[in-house]
Amino acid sequence: MEITKYILLLLHLLLLSNSFSQNDTITAEDISNILSNYDKSDYVLTLDEIDCLKNSIKKDVENWCKNPNDTLENMWAKMGALDTAIFVEIPLDTGVYKLDVIAEYKRRVIGGFAGSYPFAETWHFSVPEDSLITAVEALKSKDSTLQVPEGHSIDSERSSYWYHIQLYDPVKNETIYIWTRPGLDNQSSTLALVSYKPVIDYDIANKRYLINKDFWKLENEQRIESFERRVVEPLKNRLNQ
């Protein structure tokens, strides 16, 4: 069986959210049943579906994946297995932005299949987690712009594998949620950018906006670049990475 078929099968299994709960186990019999009914044509978008997708994204770049119309709703199962690119051009003040809508769908709807935080953007460091946490706190002390305004922050805390920390973006007036976790060898660690929450009208129950999910591609890239410039690069310099 060719490798493409295995990849399509895996994605198909992961998208069967209506068939299996999070606690169910997919058995060999389940896989056999799916293979017996496998038809590559099921994962091919029609021209009408492609046009519908392009028009929806042009009309609402930010929210298209959250509010699909009836035609788009029927396409979701196909798109996870599609191995091509479909581009749409979106006019900006500075020119035309070319967006691969298939890649954008996978990024914002499917995520990275990375356990509890499938959308987090991560960076790896060759130091124990304690050293990474100490470096983050030292960076916050040195750069006051990273400190969340008084009354809007929650103490850093550990939850299972993850140690949660808050930073601040004074330009957007947002709290930045990040975490660290130790590597398997306890001599390495990971830093993750997770989400943002507006400070204005702060309420602990307010929605957080996830990186790699709740922002369209251009803004998402700009936020990651800003975080790398303000946090990741200074940490690397401090830890001699």
Side-chain angles (χ1 to χ4, degrees), residues 53-201:
L53 177 61
K54 287 183 176 181
N55 290 335
S56 296
I57 293 176
K58 283 183 177 180
K59 290 177 181 177
D60 190 349
V61 173
E62 294 188 6
N63 301 309
W64 67 274
C65 66
K66 301 176 185 177
N67 304 302
N69 59 37
D70 291 341
T71 305
L72 291 177
E73 190 77 58
N74 296 329
M75 295 160 52
W76 286 165
K78 297 181 179 183
M79 294 187 65
L82 211 61
D83 59 355
T84 187
I86 298 175
F87 291 97
V88 59
E89 293 185 347
I90 301 172
L92 304 175
D93 292 340
T94 55
V96 176
Y97 190 85
K98 191 174 183 180
L99 179 69
D100 179 354
V101 297
I102 300 301
E104 184 73 344
Y105 166 80
K106 292 178 180 178
R107 180 180 70 83
R108 295 179 61 185
V109 181
I110 297 178
F113 299 118
S116 299
Y117 296 94
F119 299 101
E121 186 75 15
T122 58
W123 294 265
H124 303 289
F125 292 82
S126 300
V127 297
E129 186 192 24
D130 288 346
S131 299
L132 178 57
I133 292 172
T134 298
V136 172
E137 296 300 337
L139 181 62
K140 288 174 63 177
S141 297
K142 180 179 180 180
D143 184 354
S144 61
T145 66
L146 289 171
Q147 298 177 17
V148 182
E150 186 176 353
H152 296 282
S153 64
I154 301 174
D155 291 339
S156 300
E157 61 179 4
R158 180 167 296 282
S159 174
S160 186
Y161 300 106
W162 302 279
Y163 186 78
H164 298 275
I165 307 172
Q166 292 180 332
L167 303 176
Y168 181 60
D169 183 344
V171 176
K172 295 183 180 296
N173 196 23
E174 293 174 337
T175 301
I176 306 171
Y177 291 82
I178 68 173
W179 54 249
T180 65
R181 65 167 296 172
L184 295 177
D185 57 1
N186 290 321
Q187 296 303 311
S188 61
S189 51
T190 298
L191 174 75
L193 169 61
V194 182
S195 60
Y196 301 83
K197 180 185 287 187
V199 169
I200 189 170
D201 297 328

Side-chain angles (χ1 to χ4, degrees), residues 121 123 211-212 220-228:
E121 186 75 15
W123 294 265
I211 197 67
N212 292 331
N220 196 77
E221 290 174 349
Q222 291 171 340
R223 285 175 176 269
I224 292 174
E225 289 173 0
S226 175
F227 184 80
E228 287 183 326

